[in-house]
Amino acid sequence: MKILFTAFYTSELGGGETSFLNLINHLSKNKDNELLIIVPSHGVFIDKINKTDNLKIEIKQNLYEIIFMTHEFDLAIHNYINYGKKFLFLPFAKIKKHSFICHGLWDIPKYSKLFFLKLKKANLYCVNEEIFYNINYKDKQLINLGIELNKFKVQQNKTNMINIGVIGRFQDIKNQLFAVEIFRELNIKYNNLQLFFIGDAAFTQESIKYKQKVIKKVENIDLGNIFFIGNKNNYEVFDAIDIVFIPSKYESFGMVVIESLANGVVCLAPNIGGPKQIMKDKLSDYLYIPNEKKSALEKFIYLITNLEKTKQEFREKGQYFKDKYNIENTVKTLLEGDK
């Protein structure tokens, strides 16, 4: 199968980029697939792709270069709509079907974009129900973004401390400042907690300044049990972490959430977007009102008080989430949507 992928330039990897990398890397394992990735410039995304003989990468920086593509594809998969829409009307390239992944409320197609999608009868995949119900388009469906589970190796915390992990790049929407506030309050009540920030600032000045702001806040409250440990590979992230805390103001999907759940690790997340959809039924007890200190503290206190029971509950759910969010299911959804 000949597949075209289009992706934005990015200097940082969020959940949307990570899930797209998982998809490309998984499809490249099948030597019968011929894959071409188009990006406007190099960026960090390209560095993370597994280089194989059946995968090619082209950097096309302007519309003129794109217009004169002469390739033929069975399917084009576009990670985000804004860049991908340029490929809908290529005069020379032959693309049998277009599929777009809509990752957030900021990416919802309207007006001319919707018209173009309808004209080409493109498939539209929404990563959560909130996005799905906000798009007036017939050929749309929900999609579960997938993870490569074979890389993960979770070890148990063998110390007397309770380790809390906040995972992700430093950014205002990820709300690490809120995590510091919550931890400061918890630290008054408990003396056996540690907080680990796993991840780093991206290359943007906004991200760098935000991380500095978080570090400054930690220094001001003078707690010796908050640690910044930088970027880690996926298989290192959950090593000895008891609780994964998602302090985000908004999560369109939540790759960290499904990685936690698939590994049977306790997760506390905001009741919005992707986490709200993923953590249903009994696990909805571990969702708090976004950016509300009282709500998050109440959930945390209940969780810590009942930690062993809660750990067992999440471990029992692990296999369910492994099956549901396996990358193979994402691939199946996208390829069947091409029929």
Side-chain angles (χ1 to χ4, degrees):
M1 191 173 193
K2 295 182 179 180
I3 306 174
L4 167 70
F5 299 93
T6 69
F8 273 128
Y9 162 81
T10 180
S11 60
E12 56 192 46
L13 289 180
E17 292 78 27
T18 300
S19 64
F20 205 55
L21 280 170
N22 290 341
L23 175 65
I24 293 170
N25 289 336
H26 186 80
L27 283 168
S28 69
K29 293 176 184 176
N30 184 343
K31 300 306 178 184
D32 292 331
N33 291 329
E34 294 180 30
L35 311 179
L36 174 64
I37 305 164
I38 302 291
V39 290
S41 50
H42 191 279
V44 70
F45 185 85
I46 296 302
D47 295 331
K48 299 293 183 179
I49 292 173
N50 295 336
K51 306 301 189 295
T52 58
D53 292 338
N54 59 335
L55 185 152
K56 294 182 180 179
I57 299 167
E58 291 187 12
I59 295 174
K60 297 188 180 296
Q61 297 183 338
N62 58 57
L63 189 58
Y64 180 83
E65 292 176 301
I66 293 171
I67 285 174
F68 289 97
M69 284 177 56
T70 57
H71 307 65
E72 293 187 14
F73 302 99
D74 299 300
L75 175 65
I77 303 175
H78 308 285
N79 196 37
Y80 301 111
I81 290 167
N82 287 323
Y83 185 58
K85 67 181 173 61
K86 296 179 181 179
F87 293 80
L88 286 171
F89 294 99
L90 295 179
F92 302 111
K94 296 177 182 178
I95 301 172
K96 293 179 182 177
K97 191 71 177 181
H98 290 270
S99 292
F100 291 82
I101 302 173
C102 189
H103 287 271
L105 298 174
W106 57 86
D107 200 34
I108 288 177
K110 297 179 180 178
Y111 312 120
S112 61
K113 289 179 189 174
L114 269 179
F115 173 76
F116 292 145
L117 292 175
K118 290 175 181 176
L119 198 63
K120 282 291 185 176
K121 297 180 180 178
N123 291 325
L124 188 59
Y125 296 90
C126 307
V127 302
N128 71 42
E129 292 172 352
E130 183 181 19
I131 298 167
F132 182 86
Y133 291 117
N134 270 284
I135 299 177
N136 181 24
Y137 190 67
K138 185 179 75 170
D139 294 322
K140 63 179 179 178
Q141 63 178 294
L142 288 166
I143 188 168
N144 289 328
L145 301 180
I147 50 179
E148 288 278 12
L149 292 166
N150 58 341
K151 293 182 179 180
F152 295 105
K153 181 182 178 183
V154 179
Q155 299 177 16
Q156 297 298 314
N157 177 14
K158 294 181 173 61
T159 71
N160 293 322
M161 302 297 289
I162 297 173
N163 296 330
I164 301 169
V166 174
I167 303 167
R169 67 189 180 279
F170 282 83
Q171 193 176 19
D172 180 66
I173 197 170
K174 297 298 182 184
N175 214 11
Q176 283 92 347
L177 285 171
F178 180 66
V180 176
E181 283 290 327
I182 296 299
F183 188 76
R184 177 166 62 177
E185 295 293 328
L186 290 172
N187 214 61
I188 296 170
K189 187 174 178 64
Y190 304 99
N191 61 5
N192 63 335
L193 304 181
Q194 295 183 128
L195 177 63
F196 295 88
F197 284 109
I198 302 162
D200 211 337
F203 297 108
T204 63
Q205 283 302 308
E206 177 191 15
S207 181
I208 292 168
K209 287 178 180 178
Y210 185 77
K211 183 184 179 183
Q212 291 170 346
K213 198 173 179 180
V214 175
I215 292 172
K216 185 71 173 175
K217 189 175 185 71
V218 170
E219 290 173 347
N220 288 341
I221 63 177
D222 195 26
L223 291 177
N225 51 350
I226 299 179
F227 307 95
F228 296 83
I229 63 174
N231 289 322
K232 293 284 182 181
N233 291 320
N234 283 347
Y235 51 84
E236 299 174 293
V237 163
F238 299 105
D239 183 17
I241 294 295
D242 298 291
I243 302 167
V244 171
F245 179 42
I246 313 289
S248 305
K249 297 175 182 177
Y250 180 75
E251 285 285 347
S252 59
F253 185 68
M255 289 297 289
V256 173
V257 174
I258 61 171
E259 288 171 350
S260 303
L261 298 177
N263 284 285
V265 177
V266 176
C267 184
L268 191 65
N271 189 20
I272 194 169
K276 181 180 180 180
Q277 179 181 324
I278 296 164
M279 295 175 66
K280 291 181 177 179
D281 303 322
K282 183 70 174 169
L283 291 189
S284 64
D285 291 342
Y286 305 101
L287 297 172
Y288 66 91
I289 300 170
N291 210 33
E292 186 177 291
K293 188 187 293 186
K294 182 175 182 290
S295 175
L297 282 171
E298 286 176 353
K299 298 289 184 180
F300 248 121
I301 290 168
Y302 172 82
L303 196 160
I304 293 170
T305 305
N306 301 278
L307 188 56
E308 289 309 313
K309 176 186 171 185
T310 307
K311 281 185 174 182
Q312 182 60 33
E313 186 178 344
F314 276 80
R315 279 195 290 265
E316 289 173 356
K317 292 279 187 180
Q319 190 58 51
Y320 167 80
F321 286 103
K322 281 181 181 177
D323 294 338
K324 186 171 183 178
Y325 294 99
N326 192 313
I327 187 64
E328 291 183 1
N329 292 333
T330 310
V331 170
K332 185 178 178 182
T333 300
L334 285 166
L335 297 190
E336 285 185 351
D338 181 47
K339 294 178 181 178

